Amino acid sequence: MSDPVDRPGASGVPEAVATPRSRWRIQIIWLVPLIAVLIGGWLAAKAIVERGPTVTISFETGEGLEAGKTKIKFKNVDIGVVKSVALSSDHRRVIATAELTREASPLLVDDTRFWMVRPRISGGTVSGIGTLLTGSFIGMDVGNSTKPRHDYTGLEIPPVFASGVPGREFILKGADMGSLDVGSPIYYRRLQVGQITSYQLDPDGKGVTMHVFVNSPYDKYVRADSRFWQASGVDVSLDATGVKVNTESLVAILIGGLAFETPDDAADDAEAAAKTQFVLFHDRAEAMRRHDRIVDTYALVFKESVRGLAVGAPVDFLGIVVGEVVAINTRYDPVAKQFSIPVEIHLFPERFTSRYTKGDQGAGGRLTADRQKLAQTLVDHGLRAQLRTGNLLTGQLYVAVDFFPNAPKGKLDWSANPPELPTAPGGLQSLQESVTSLLAKLNQIPFGGIGKGAQKTLTDADSLLRQLRTDVVPQARDTLAAAQTALNSANGALQPDSALSQSTSDAMTELARTASAFRSLADYLERHPEALIRGKQEDKK
């Protein structure tokens, strides 16, 4: 028999039964990191989903850029922040990498613009003053393109107006900028209606191109034939009515400006399309003067001095300006070994025919249509160009086109470029030619023979004078002495107490008495005419 102690349950203690461990049993302590991982993953996924686009913007300098602090604003609302600032690979520019909000993704199109907002004073406007306290930020303006883009070149000068502002942009071509700048105002009838948005030097270096923006509704006043001019400074003129001072505004005096106007007799009154190109004139007088559509170029060859003639001098025809001088050159003729002065001019044929009567309107059109025939007809009738003095004080010259019936016949060579119009000597040259002709005639006079005859005449005159001095002068002296004696005697006889005077007085008294007697006799005969026959009768008592 076995030992009772060895039997199970013999001692009253339950026997332990081994239970196998579950393979999927997780301890509670591992739930914390698991939840943390899940939360982290969810946050990461949310961050990835909500993360906005990243853009790169290049600037010339990094002034005002600071990673983690410099904001990007659109309409003064924060839409991003600069994450890093680094130099470009060629070390010439600064690359700012910025992260924008997801809502800003539709704003990143091809013509979107970025620029640094700093305190600026330009074109009479002050901007960015608030950045003195808050610091610089990157401004943003959305374009109209639909093409997405993520790398941009920042503007060094902020745009004058934001995209979407109603109005139209135009292009101006001028010789120089004057005192203009970006933001300079544009005036229409002295009302500010726009501003200059940008400018650049032309590729050939001979002018500048400006982009201007005219706000709505004033852009409708820009016509196809409108004229733009620089309205900077003060225009002072003196005429018969006194001194006139004209300016657009005080701002235009200080910072410059532009103005435009459409002539009342403009041929094309349609509104100008956006991006239309105009010429920028220096002043209103130049802008508003007549601009002809037909321009013919001719050459005038002068053999006299053109001192006082300048480019821009008028070409005058019977008091009407029909052209202007555009170039003055010199030319040497190796055959004749002479210099001449070719003057290039522009003629406006329309001005020759613009004053036809109403019944002959077709004649003007026919003449302008066949301008060569018109020019040749005028030359055949003696049309010539001549230099004349326009101002006696300054000595300025102008080209006068006039008719000279006695001028030699001329013919235009239309194969030359430009064709040459015949000329006539100017007034001074005509005077010189007259003097030269007179001197030539004087040279033909035999002054040698005349001199010999004159010498003989002078010798005879000298002999005559000697004879007069020896023969005539003494006799004349005696005659004068006798005449003096006679005058002295006459003077003595005419004295009041002289005998002659006394006798003359007595004679005059007797004459008076005789006259009285004759008067008495005449009175008596008038009363008694019979006394001439009967004689005087005695008075009856």
Side-chain angles (χ1 to χ4, degrees):
M1 293 183 65
S2 60
D3 192 353
V5 178
D6 296 334
R7 294 196 301 252
S11 58
V13 178
E15 182 178 359
V17 179
T19 304
R21 180 179 299 177
S22 175
R23 297 175 59 185
W24 304 102
R25 185 176 180 182
I26 300 176
Q27 297 184 5
I28 297 177
I29 193 171
W30 292 107
L31 291 176
V32 176
L34 180 59
I35 294 173
V37 170
L38 293 175
I39 294 174
W42 177 77
L43 292 176
K46 181 179 179 181
I48 294 174
V49 172
E50 294 181 352
R51 182 179 180 181
T54 300
V55 297
T56 58
I57 310 170
S58 66
F59 295 95
E60 287 189 357
T61 66
E63 180 184 0
L65 293 175
E66 190 173 354
K69 291 185 177 181
T70 303
K71 305 291 185 181
I72 297 179
K73 295 185 178 183
F74 174 64
K75 294 186 176 181
N76 211 28
V77 176
D78 292 346
I79 60 171
V81 64
V82 173
K83 292 298 184 179
S84 64
V85 180
L87 291 173
S88 62
S89 58
D90 57 2
H91 300 165
R92 293 184 178 182
R93 299 185 67 84
V94 175
I95 307 299
T97 303
E99 183 178 327
L100 277 64
T101 61
R102 186 177 61 178
E103 291 77 8
S105 296
L107 306 179
L108 300 177
V109 293
D110 187 60
D111 53 352
T112 295
R113 299 177 291 182
F114 293 89
W115 66 93
M116 286 299 302
V117 179
R118 309 185 186 97
R120 296 176 186 271
I121 300 177
S122 176
T125 59
V126 180
S127 62
I129 296 298
T131 58
L132 293 174
L133 300 177
T134 61
S136 301
F137 61 89
I138 299 177
M140 176 182 175
D141 180 50
V142 181
N144 299 320
S145 176
T146 57
K147 180 181 178 181
R149 181 178 174 183
H150 291 82
D151 57 319
Y152 298 90
T153 300
L155 303 176
E156 297 303 320
I157 300 177
V160 178
F161 63 95
S163 299
V165 175
R168 273 178 284 185
E169 186 178 12
F170 304 100
I171 302 173
L172 305 182
K173 290 280 189 177
D176 54 65
M177 283 292 296
S179 58
L180 302 173
D181 198 359
V182 173
S184 294
I186 299 176
Y187 296 94
Y188 177 70
R189 301 189 182 278
R190 298 189 178 179
L191 176 68
Q192 183 173 347
V193 298
Q195 55 278 325
I196 298 176
T197 59
S198 65
Y199 62 86
Q200 62 182 5
L201 186 66
D202 291 343
D204 57 3
K206 296 183 179 180
V208 293
T209 300
M210 282 173 274
H211 292 258
V212 300
F213 187 82
V214 179
N215 302 318
S216 179
Y218 309 108
D219 57 335
K220 66 181 179 182
Y221 299 114
V222 181
R223 306 290 182 173
D225 199 24
S226 293
R227 315 288 172 81
F228 286 80
W229 68 88
Q230 294 195 21
S232 308
V234 180
D235 182 16
V236 181
S237 61
L238 176 63
D239 55 19
T241 60
V243 180
K244 295 181 179 180
V245 180
N246 296 320
T247 183
E248 293 295 330
S249 68
L250 181 60
V251 176
I253 297 177
L254 299 176
I255 65 172
L258 298 177
F260 72 91
E261 187 177 343
T262 303
D264 295 334
D265 57 348
D268 192 350
D269 198 36
E271 293 186 17
K275 303 289 185 178
T276 300
Q277 182 172 303
F278 295 92
V279 176
L280 178 62
F281 298 95
H282 280 285
D283 51 42
R284 186 181 184 276
E286 181 184 2
M288 298 304 293
R289 74 179 184 180
R290 181 174 178 178
H291 296 273
D292 298 82
R293 294 172 295 177
I294 303 177
V295 180
D296 289 337
T297 303
Y298 293 94
L300 309 175
V301 179
F302 297 100
K303 294 183 179 180
E304 56 189 295
S305 174
V306 295
R307 182 180 179 85
L309 185 68
V311 174
V315 178
D316 185 279
F317 175 68
L318 301 180
I320 301 174
V321 177
V322 295
E324 63 181 0
V325 176
V326 295
I328 303 175
N329 304 297
T330 58
R331 184 170 64 190
Y332 177 70
D333 186 356
V335 177
K337 299 186 182 303
Q338 293 180 347
F339 279 96
S340 59
I341 310 296
V343 176
E344 189 173 325
I345 64 171
H346 282 169
L347 281 184
F348 311 121
E350 292 175 309
R351 302 192 183 185
F352 286 94
T353 59
S354 60
R355 289 172 173 81
Y356 276 87
T357 59
K358 293 183 179 180
D360 196 21
Q361 292 179 351
R366 290 192 298 271
L367 286 176
T368 54
D370 192 356
R371 301 193 297 277
Q372 293 185 5
K373 181 179 179 180
L374 169 63
Q376 187 61 57
T377 301
L378 296 176
V379 170
D380 292 341
H381 285 77
L383 185 72
R384 300 291 185 270
Q386 185 184 53
L387 290 177
R388 293 181 183 176
T389 302
N391 191 313
L392 295 176
L393 296 178
T394 62
Q396 292 179 341
L397 300 179
Y398 69 96
V399 177
V401 180
D402 206 344
F403 289 97
F404 297 84
N406 298 326
K409 291 186 177 181
K411 187 175 180 62
L412 290 171
D413 183 9
W414 296 106
S415 62
N417 187 21
E420 182 180 323
L421 278 178
T423 60
L428 181 59
Q429 185 176 358
S430 299
L431 178 61
Q432 292 175 349
E433 291 179 355
S434 300
V435 172
T436 302
S437 177
L438 177 61
L439 292 177
K441 293 179 180 179
L442 291 176
N443 289 333
Q444 296 176 359
I445 300 176
F447 287 104
I450 294 175
K452 293 179 181 180
Q455 185 176 2
K456 184 177 181 302
T457 302
L458 290 174
T459 303
D460 295 341
D462 185 60
S463 300
L464 179 60
L465 289 175
R466 283 198 300 269
Q467 184 178 359
L468 290 174
R469 187 167 52 251
T470 56
D471 298 339
V472 179
V473 171
Q475 296 179 6
R477 188 182 300 114
D478 295 340
T479 302
L480 291 175
Q484 183 66 36
T485 303
L487 289 174
N488 290 335
S489 299
N491 187 28
L494 294 175
Q495 293 297 323
D497 54 350
S498 64
L500 180 60
S501 297
Q502 221 32 58
S503 298
T504 303
S505 177
D506 292 343
M508 294 299 293
T509 302
E510 290 299 329
L511 287 175
R513 290 175 181 174
T514 302
S516 176
F518 274 110
R519 191 164 45 250
S520 298
L521 177 60
D523 292 340
Y524 180 79
L525 292 176
E526 183 178 2
R527 293 192 302 272
H528 305 283
E530 68 278 4
L532 291 175
I533 300 174
R534 299 176 182 179
K536 183 177 181 182
Q537 297 181 3
E538 297 292 337
D539 293 335
K540 295 179 179 181
K541 297 184 180 180

